Amino acid sequence: METRILQKVTIVDMNNEILTETLFEHGTVKSSSLSIGWSVTAFPLGLREFSVVFDKREQRTVQYKVIDLELDLTGDAESIKAYLEPQKLIIGQHDVGLSG
């Protein structure tokens, strides 16, 4: 069974006013053994205009906690979604540019 790794991202302006919220998909892993409280290591998130992207400029990594798991039994195939702790990105401060 595969698990989709998702993270809610809120994009705000310099006055902390919400511009948009989105679910960023980190990817899929072939494991259903994730648990709430586990850490996931990934690249930090950044912005390219209004799109959420991985910020790989410095090749550093960050850890995010798994805060919720969702098991969907309504379809033909069971699916699991793991949600990471939410992130807030500020327009102008989290821009990665075109080469990021």
Side-chain angles (χ1 to χ4, degrees):
M1 182 178 304
E2 293 189 338
T3 302
R4 290 176 56 200
I5 310 294
L6 302 165
Q7 187 170 27
K8 179 181 171 187
V9 179
T10 303
I11 300 172
V12 299
D13 64 13
M14 295 289 202
N15 295 319
N16 206 29
E17 301 228 3
I18 296 174
L19 300 175
T20 188
E21 291 182 331
T22 188
L23 270 181
F24 179 76
E25 186 163 349
H26 283 264
T28 303
V29 295
K30 292 186 186 256
S31 171
S32 60
S33 64
L34 285 174
S35 294
I36 294 173
W38 281 26
S39 293
V40 173
T41 300
F43 289 107
L45 300 180
L47 293 170
R48 184 172 293 132
E49 295 179 359
F50 284 96
S51 298
V52 179
V53 296
F54 287 117
D55 184 352
K56 298 180 182 179
R57 293 176 295 175
E58 299 174 8
Q59 294 299 309
R60 68 182 179 91
T61 60
V62 294
Q63 290 186 336
Y64 300 110
K65 294 278 187 203
V66 176
I67 60 166
D68 195 16
L69 295 171
E70 177 183 300
L71 176 61
D72 185 356
L73 301 174
T74 61
D76 291 336
E78 295 177 358
S79 66
I80 297 176
K81 295 177 185 173
Y83 293 95
L84 304 179
E85 57 193 330
Q87 285 288 168
K88 182 191 301 186
L89 299 176
I90 302 169
I91 291 288
Q93 288 187 3
H94 291 101
D95 294 324
V96 299
L98 295 177
S99 62

